Amino acid sequence: DLVAFADLDPELLAPRVGASAGALALLARAARLVGQSRALGAAGRAPGRLVLQTRQPEHPVVRAALLADPTPVTDADTAGRREVGLPPFTCRVVLHGPPSDEAAGSLAERLEDARVVPLGAGRVEVRSSDREALLDRLAALRRPAGLVVAVDPDDD
């Protein structure tokens, strides 16, 4: 009957790409839960409630939740991803392990717009706008023992 976010600000202000979209997804899931409990409840029960506590009442995510219109948040997220070259506008392959530098070089070889970016701690990213070509190269790559591969990871 009730879902409460005692402090939504860490989600709203998280320093990561897609933080706003993630916060909005949390609110949407909570709203669905509250709606389901109301639909399943006994007749005559009070409607379910979603309660937010925030110091950012004018944040686009809060406004989107109040208006039940995610468009401004999703449009901004899409524009930001396009601007910095993140999926779905590019494909990212993150390699981790001792052979990651050599594997990244092999992946980027003969790809027109491939970028190799060292991420530190034995991790290297290969990014390309040609998803199909990059994934074809990845499929053909000989993967040495100890190499861990992630395609379009959300946590980097």
Side-chain angles (χ1 to χ4, degrees):
D1 292 337
L2 171 69
V3 174
F5 290 88
D7 186 6
L8 190 61
D9 294 344
E11 294 299 324
L12 296 176
L13 304 173
R16 64 179 179 268
V17 174
S20 289
L24 187 60
L26 280 174
L27 294 176
R29 188 174 349 163
R32 280 194 306 269
L33 287 171
V34 168
Q36 286 175 354
S37 70
R38 181 178 51 186
L40 298 174
R45 289 186 71 176
R49 292 181 20 192
L50 178 59
V51 177
L52 312 177
Q53 182 172 340
T54 179
R55 292 177 188 222
Q56 308 292 319
E58 296 302 317
H59 192 282
V61 169
V62 175
R63 304 249 343 121
L66 286 171
L67 299 173
D69 180 11
T71 308
V73 174
T74 57
D75 287 352
D77 183 64
T78 300
R81 286 176 173 277
R82 182 186 318 270
E83 187 176 319
V84 297
L86 289 176
F89 303 102
T90 61
C91 182
R92 295 175 59 224
V93 174
V94 176
L95 308 163
H96 184 220
S100 60
D101 289 331
E102 183 180 321
S106 295
L107 268 182
E109 189 178 336
R110 289 180 272 148
L111 284 178
E112 233 174 85
D113 71 340
R115 261 186 45 210
V116 177
V117 180
L119 300 175
R123 295 175 26 215
V124 180
E125 174 184 276
V126 180
R127 189 181 291 194
S128 174
S129 63
D130 190 343
R131 181 179 188 81
E132 187 174 326
L134 181 55
L135 295 180
D136 285 347
R137 297 277 305 150
L138 180 59
L141 181 70
R142 287 186 134 168
R143 296 188 196 169
L147 182 67
V148 177
V149 177
V151 177
D152 291 340
D154 285 334
D155 61 347
D156 285 314

